[in-house]
Amino acid sequence: MLSLFLSCLFPRRCPICQHILKNQQSLICPKCCQKVVFVQEPACFCCGKPLEKDETEYCSDCRKHPKTFQKGMALCVYNDEVRDSLAAIKYQNHKEYADFYIMEIKKRKLKRLKDLGIDLILPVPLHKRKKRQRGFNQAMLFAEGIGEMLHVPVSDCVLFRTKYTKPLKSLNPRERLVSMEHSFWASDEVKGKRILLVDDIYTTGATAESCTRALKAAGAENVWVFCVAIGYGI
Protein backbone atom coordinates (compact mmCIF):
# COMPACT_ATOMS: atom_id res chain seq x y z
CA MET A 1 0.00 0.00 0.00
CA LEU A 2 2.79 2.43 0.90
CA SER A 3 4.62 1.87 -2.39
CA LEU A 4 1.36 2.40 -4.32
CA PHE A 5 0.72 5.61 -2.40
CA LEU A 6 4.23 6.90 -3.07
CA SER A 7 4.01 6.00 -6.77
CA CYS A 8 0.87 8.14 -7.00
CA LEU A 9 2.58 11.06 -5.27
CA PHE A 10 5.89 10.63 -7.13
CA PRO A 11 5.24 8.76 -10.37
CA ARG A 12 8.29 7.25 -12.03
CA ARG A 13 9.73 9.17 -14.98
CA CYS A 14 11.64 7.96 -18.00
CA PRO A 15 15.39 8.43 -17.42
CA ILE A 16 15.86 9.65 -21.02
CA CYS A 17 12.96 12.01 -21.85
CA GLN A 18 12.04 12.57 -18.16
CA HIS A 19 8.32 12.34 -18.91
CA ILE A 20 6.02 10.41 -16.56
CA LEU A 21 5.90 6.77 -17.62
CA LYS A 22 2.51 5.55 -18.80
CA ASN A 23 3.43 2.10 -17.54
CA GLN A 24 4.62 2.60 -13.98
CA GLN A 25 5.94 -0.98 -13.91
CA SER A 26 8.51 -0.05 -16.54
CA LEU A 27 11.77 1.85 -16.05
CA ILE A 28 11.90 3.53 -19.47
CA CYS A 29 9.45 4.38 -22.24
CA PRO A 30 9.65 2.16 -25.36
CA LYS A 31 10.70 4.95 -27.75
CA CYS A 32 13.50 6.12 -25.48
CA CYS A 33 14.81 2.60 -25.00
CA GLN A 34 15.67 2.63 -28.71
CA LYS A 35 17.82 5.74 -28.15
CA VAL A 36 20.13 3.92 -25.75
CA VAL A 37 22.91 2.25 -27.76
CA PHE A 38 24.30 -0.74 -25.87
CA VAL A 39 27.95 -1.66 -26.38
CA GLN A 40 28.48 -4.72 -28.55
CA GLU A 41 31.45 -6.33 -30.25
CA PRO A 42 33.79 -5.35 -31.74
CA ALA A 43 35.15 -3.47 -28.75
CA CYS A 44 38.62 -2.41 -27.63
CA PHE A 45 40.40 -5.29 -25.88
CA CYS A 46 41.62 -2.87 -23.24
CA CYS A 47 39.03 -0.20 -22.36
CA GLY A 48 35.92 -1.69 -23.98
CA LYS A 49 35.12 1.18 -26.37
CA PRO A 50 33.01 0.02 -29.34
CA LEU A 51 35.01 -0.12 -32.57
CA GLU A 52 33.96 0.16 -36.20
CA LYS A 53 36.16 -2.63 -37.59
CA ASP A 54 36.33 -6.26 -36.46
CA GLU A 55 40.03 -6.51 -37.21
CA THR A 56 40.92 -3.61 -34.87
CA GLU A 57 41.99 -4.87 -31.44
CA TYR A 58 42.62 -1.61 -29.58
CA CYS A 59 41.20 1.88 -29.87
CA SER A 60 43.61 4.66 -30.84
CA ASP A 61 43.68 6.00 -27.28
CA CYS A 62 44.75 2.66 -25.78
CA ARG A 63 47.34 2.21 -28.53
CA LYS A 64 48.86 5.60 -27.74
CA HIS A 65 48.39 5.43 -23.96
CA PRO A 66 48.47 1.80 -22.69
CA LYS A 67 46.52 1.20 -19.50
CA THR A 68 47.55 -0.74 -16.40
CA PHE A 69 44.09 -2.01 -15.48
CA GLN A 70 43.26 -5.53 -16.61
CA LYS A 71 40.32 -4.70 -18.84
CA GLY A 72 37.45 -2.26 -19.19
CA MET A 73 33.77 -2.97 -19.75
CA ALA A 74 30.89 -0.61 -20.57
CA LEU A 75 27.11 -0.84 -20.75
CA CYS A 76 26.22 1.77 -23.35
CA VAL A 77 27.53 4.45 -25.67
CA TYR A 78 27.88 7.98 -24.33
CA ASN A 79 25.49 9.71 -26.74
CA ASP A 80 23.47 12.89 -26.14
CA GLU A 81 20.51 11.09 -24.57
CA VAL A 82 22.61 9.10 -22.11
CA ARG A 83 24.74 12.16 -21.33
CA ASP A 84 21.67 14.17 -20.30
CA SER A 85 20.25 11.23 -18.35
CA LEU A 86 23.43 10.71 -16.33
CA ALA A 87 23.69 14.47 -15.78
CA ALA A 88 20.16 14.42 -14.33
CA ILE A 89 21.29 11.79 -11.83
CA LYS A 90 24.39 13.73 -10.95
CA TYR A 91 23.17 17.32 -10.87
CA GLN A 92 19.38 17.11 -10.46
CA ASN A 93 19.36 14.37 -7.82
CA HIS A 94 17.34 11.93 -9.96
CA LYS A 95 18.93 8.91 -8.31
CA GLU A 96 15.99 6.74 -9.37
CA TYR A 97 17.17 6.94 -12.99
CA ALA A 98 20.07 4.70 -12.00
CA ASP A 99 17.58 1.81 -11.64
CA PHE A 100 17.23 1.53 -15.41
CA TYR A 101 20.98 1.26 -15.98
CA ILE A 102 21.41 -1.23 -13.14
CA MET A 103 18.62 -3.38 -14.61
CA GLU A 104 20.36 -3.36 -18.00
CA ILE A 105 23.73 -4.19 -16.46
CA LYS A 106 22.14 -7.23 -14.84
CA LYS A 107 20.48 -8.24 -18.11
CA ARG A 108 23.48 -7.72 -20.40
CA LYS A 109 26.69 -7.93 -18.34
CA LEU A 110 26.01 -10.17 -15.33
CA LYS A 111 27.70 -13.30 -16.66
CA ARG A 112 30.85 -11.47 -17.74
CA LEU A 113 31.03 -9.70 -14.38
CA LYS A 114 30.60 -12.98 -12.49
CA ASP A 115 33.39 -14.59 -14.51
CA LEU A 116 35.89 -12.01 -13.22
CA GLY A 117 35.85 -13.46 -9.71
CA ILE A 118 35.79 -10.03 -8.06
CA ASP A 119 36.59 -9.72 -4.33
CA LEU A 120 35.74 -6.06 -3.83
CA ILE A 121 33.85 -3.33 -5.72
CA LEU A 122 34.94 0.30 -5.44
CA PRO A 123 33.31 3.42 -6.86
CA VAL A 124 35.61 6.04 -8.34
CA PRO A 125 35.66 8.49 -5.41
CA LEU A 126 34.77 12.15 -5.48
CA HIS A 127 36.91 14.73 -3.75
CA LYS A 128 35.33 15.59 -0.38
CA ARG A 129 34.66 19.15 -1.57
CA LYS A 130 32.75 17.97 -4.63
CA LYS A 131 30.88 15.31 -2.65
CA ARG A 132 29.86 17.94 -0.13
CA GLN A 133 28.50 20.13 -2.94
CA ARG A 134 26.64 17.30 -4.68
CA GLY A 135 25.59 15.38 -1.60
CA PHE A 136 26.38 11.93 -2.97
CA ASN A 137 28.66 10.03 -5.32
CA GLN A 138 26.81 8.85 -8.41
CA ALA A 139 29.39 6.10 -9.01
CA MET A 140 28.39 4.59 -5.67
CA LEU A 141 24.81 4.09 -6.91
CA PHE A 142 26.05 1.86 -9.73
CA ALA A 143 28.69 0.15 -7.58
CA GLU A 144 26.05 -0.80 -5.01
CA GLY A 145 23.74 -2.10 -7.74
CA ILE A 146 26.50 -4.30 -9.17
CA GLY A 147 27.54 -5.42 -5.70
CA GLU A 148 24.00 -6.55 -4.95
CA MET A 149 23.72 -8.63 -8.12
CA LEU A 150 27.18 -10.20 -7.65
CA HIS A 151 26.91 -10.59 -3.86
CA VAL A 152 30.28 -8.87 -3.55
CA PRO A 153 31.11 -6.21 -0.91
CA VAL A 154 31.21 -2.56 -1.92
CA SER A 155 33.27 0.06 -0.10
CA ASP A 156 33.84 3.80 -0.33
CA CYS A 157 36.33 3.76 2.56
CA VAL A 158 39.27 2.17 0.74
CA LEU A 159 40.03 4.40 -2.25
CA PHE A 160 40.19 8.17 -1.76
CA ARG A 161 40.62 11.21 -3.99
CA THR A 162 43.30 13.31 -2.37
CA LYS A 163 43.64 16.09 -4.95
CA TYR A 164 40.91 18.42 -6.18
CA THR A 165 41.09 18.64 -9.98
CA LYS A 166 39.33 20.99 -12.36
CA PRO A 167 37.09 19.56 -15.12
CA LEU A 168 39.17 17.67 -17.70
CA LYS A 169 37.04 18.39 -20.77
CA SER A 170 39.43 20.93 -22.30
CA LEU A 171 42.53 18.72 -21.87
CA ASN A 172 43.96 16.15 -24.27
CA PRO A 173 44.55 12.56 -23.04
CA ARG A 174 48.15 13.14 -21.98
CA GLU A 175 47.27 16.36 -20.13
CA ARG A 176 44.40 14.60 -18.39
CA LEU A 177 46.68 11.87 -17.12
CA VAL A 178 49.23 14.41 -15.86
CA SER A 179 46.43 16.37 -14.15
CA MET A 180 45.15 13.20 -12.44
CA GLU A 181 48.62 12.02 -11.32
CA HIS A 182 48.78 11.31 -7.58
CA SER A 183 45.09 12.25 -7.21
CA PHE A 184 44.13 9.00 -5.45
CA TRP A 185 45.29 6.96 -2.49
CA ALA A 186 44.27 3.42 -1.51
CA SER A 187 44.53 1.64 1.84
CA ASP A 188 46.21 -1.73 2.25
CA GLU A 189 42.76 -3.36 2.51
CA VAL A 190 43.04 -3.92 -1.24
CA LYS A 191 46.20 -6.03 -0.89
CA GLY A 192 45.83 -9.27 -2.85
CA LYS A 193 42.26 -8.37 -3.91
CA ARG A 194 40.67 -8.54 -7.34
CA ILE A 195 39.01 -5.14 -7.69
CA LEU A 196 36.16 -3.88 -9.85
CA LEU A 197 36.38 -0.11 -10.21
CA VAL A 198 33.03 1.47 -11.13
CA ASP A 199 32.28 4.87 -12.66
CA ASP A 200 29.44 6.44 -14.61
CA ILE A 201 31.42 7.76 -17.63
CA TYR A 202 34.67 6.72 -19.32
CA THR A 203 36.31 9.10 -21.80
CA THR A 204 40.11 8.88 -22.08
CA GLY A 205 40.56 6.65 -19.05
CA ALA A 206 42.78 9.11 -17.15
CA THR A 207 40.71 8.79 -13.98
CA ALA A 208 40.50 4.99 -14.17
CA GLU A 209 44.24 4.77 -14.83
CA SER A 210 45.11 7.02 -11.91
CA CYS A 211 42.85 4.98 -9.59
CA THR A 212 44.39 1.74 -10.86
CA ARG A 213 47.92 2.94 -10.16
CA ALA A 214 46.94 3.84 -6.59
CA LEU A 215 45.28 0.44 -6.10
CA LYS A 216 48.26 -1.45 -7.55
CA ALA A 217 50.63 0.57 -5.36
CA ALA A 218 48.60 -0.58 -2.33
CA GLY A 219 48.92 -4.21 -3.41
CA ALA A 220 45.76 -4.96 -5.42
CA GLU A 221 46.20 -8.13 -7.45
CA ASN A 222 44.12 -7.02 -10.44
CA VAL A 223 41.83 -4.13 -11.36
CA TRP A 224 38.96 -4.24 -13.84
CA VAL A 225 37.01 -1.13 -14.83
CA PHE A 226 33.27 -0.94 -15.42
CA CYS A 227 31.48 2.19 -16.61
CA VAL A 228 27.89 2.89 -17.48
CA ALA A 229 28.67 4.95 -20.59
CA ILE A 230 31.67 5.17 -22.88
CA GLY A 231 32.56 7.05 -26.06
CA TYR A 232 33.24 5.46 -29.44
CA GLY A 233 36.78 4.31 -30.22
CA ILE A 234 38.62 4.45 -33.56
Side-chain angles (χ1 to χ4, degrees):
M1 287 294 291
L2 179 59
S3 60
L4 180 63
F5 176 71
L6 289 175
S7 66
C8 292
L9 279 180
F10 307 103
R12 185 176 284 277
R13 293 176 178 271
C14 171
I16 301 298
C17 67
Q18 301 198 45
H19 293 157
I20 292 174
L21 290 166
K22 293 179 180 179
N23 177 7
Q24 284 291 299
Q25 303 305 310
S26 179
L27 296 179
I28 190 170
C29 58
K31 286 185 178 180
C32 285
C33 192
Q34 297 173 21
K35 298 176 183 178
V36 181
V37 181
F38 295 103
V39 173
Q40 297 179 353
E41 298 295 336
C44 175
F45 283 3
C46 180
C47 71
K49 285 182 181 177
L51 300 170
E52 293 181 359
K53 299 178 181 179
D54 286 322
E55 61 270 21
T56 306
E57 294 185 347
Y58 297 95
C59 69
S60 60
D61 179 61
C62 288
R63 290 196 299 271
K64 293 175 184 175
H65 310 287
K67 309 299 188 293
T68 56
F69 52 79
Q70 195 77 3
K71 194 172 176 63
M73 195 186 311
L75 174 66
C76 59
V77 173
Y78 187 59
N79 58 17
D80 291 345
E81 290 79 10
V82 169
R83 178 200 64 202
D84 293 345
S85 177
L86 293 177
I89 296 173
K90 208 183 298 191
Y91 304 119
Q92 299 171 26
N93 206 33
H94 283 294
K95 298 178 187 177
E96 70 278 9
Y97 290 173
D99 294 344
F100 163 70
Y101 297 100
I102 292 167
M103 177 190 72
E104 292 296 334
I105 292 169
K106 187 172 185 179
K107 184 192 303 182
R108 299 169 186 273
K109 303 294 181 179
L110 181 57
K111 185 182 184 306
R112 287 186 62 192
L113 287 167
K114 279 185 175 180
D115 289 345
L116 299 179
I118 296 299
D119 300 312
L120 181 64
I121 299 174
L122 305 176
V124 170
L126 291 175
H127 188 271
K128 58 184 179 181
R129 187 197 307 180
K130 191 171 288 187
K131 188 174 181 180
R132 190 163 54 242
Q133 292 170 347
R134 195 175 299 167
F136 70 101
N137 180 2
Q138 74 283 353
M140 188 63 171
L141 299 178
F142 301 113
E144 288 177 332
I146 294 171
E148 186 175 337
M149 67 180 78
L150 294 181
H151 306 291
V152 171
V154 180
S155 177
D156 62 354
C157 301
V158 174
L159 179 64
F160 302 91
R161 190 183 291 249
T162 56
K163 186 170 78 173
Y164 185 84
T165 54
K166 294 180 180 180
L168 306 177
K169 294 178 182 179
S170 61
L171 305 180
N172 65 38
R174 176 60 62 186
E175 290 170 336
R176 289 182 183 214
L177 190 57
V178 170
S179 176
M180 295 303 296
E181 194 172 9
H182 306 305
S183 292
F184 299 92
W185 176 86
S187 75
D188 60 7
E189 289 181 51
V190 304
K191 190 173 183 179
K193 299 283 180 68
R194 297 161 66 89
I195 307 292
L196 182 67
L197 183 69
V198 177
D199 207 358
D200 57 342
I201 301 164
Y202 182 106
T203 48
T204 66
T207 300
E209 178 63 17
S210 186
C211 286
T212 299
R213 291 181 183 184
L215 291 166
K216 291 282 187 73
E221 180 183 334
N222 276 317
V223 179
W224 285 266
V225 174
F226 186 93
C227 68
V228 175
I230 196 166
Y232 276 108
I234 55 173

